[in-house]
Amino acid sequence: SSSFVSSSSGAGPTRNPNPASEAEAAALSELSEQLHTLRSENEDTRRRLGYPPSSSASDSNANSNGDASSSSTGTGGGKRRVPSGREVDLDVQLQGLTDQLISEQSRVEALASEKATLALRLEAAADAADQLLRGANTRG
């Protein structure tokens, strides 16, 4: 984005006194969008796994729609709630825990599958041993 803005006097472009704030606002907006996407993905995962929707889902939807009276960016029309640092930290922690849960569930499923395979192999080996013993008993 350009760091030049038009002056109100019409004398030509002037240097914006704080170009870093534009970059910070853009980065904050991007992070807010990522957070909204992660929350949606988390709720989808909870729904697929059969968990009830989190109580913060309705709260976060209300907040992201501008219903919250706390801090917001810009002035005038489209106010958008800016999450606090604590909320961001909690959302990052929630995403990490969700990833760990999904990983653990995958591991449990893999172990259950391996257990079933080993049980089948054990049963087959026991049947083969029984047949060998029966064959030895009929010969002797």
Side-chain angles (χ1 to χ4, degrees):
S1 70
S2 172
S3 60
F4 288 99
V5 291
S6 302
S7 71
S8 58
S9 66
T14 59
R15 184 92 177 142
N16 186 347
N18 197 355
S21 65
E22 288 179 17
E24 289 171 355
L28 183 60
S29 176
E30 183 179 333
L31 288 173
S32 179
E33 290 299 319
Q34 289 176 356
L35 179 60
H36 178 73
T37 300
L38 290 174
R39 282 181 175 158
S40 296
E41 289 173 0
N42 188 36
E43 287 305 311
D44 291 343
T45 302
R46 291 180 64 84
R47 203 173 309 116
R48 273 187 275 123
L49 294 175
Y51 293 105
S54 66
S55 61
S56 64
S58 58
D59 297 341
S60 67
N61 287 339
N63 291 343
S64 67
N65 290 334
D67 294 341
S69 59
S70 61
S71 64
S72 60
T73 59
T75 57
K79 288 187 177 182
R80 195 169 172 147
R81 186 175 181 288
V82 176
S84 70
R86 178 74 174 141
E87 288 174 311
V88 171
D89 290 344
L90 288 173
D91 283 328
V92 167
Q93 185 178 5
L94 175 63
Q95 186 63 38
L97 290 172
T98 301
D99 291 344
Q100 285 178 358
L101 174 64
I102 291 169
S103 175
E104 191 70 20
Q105 287 172 332
S106 296
R107 205 178 99 198
V108 167
E109 289 175 12
L111 289 172
S113 177
E114 184 178 356
K115 178 183 174 183
T117 301
L118 291 173
L120 287 173
R121 289 176 61 190
L122 181 60
E123 186 179 335
D127 288 345
D130 284 345
Q131 287 178 355
L132 285 174
L133 287 175
R134 277 189 228 128
N137 287 339
T138 57
R139 284 187 231 148

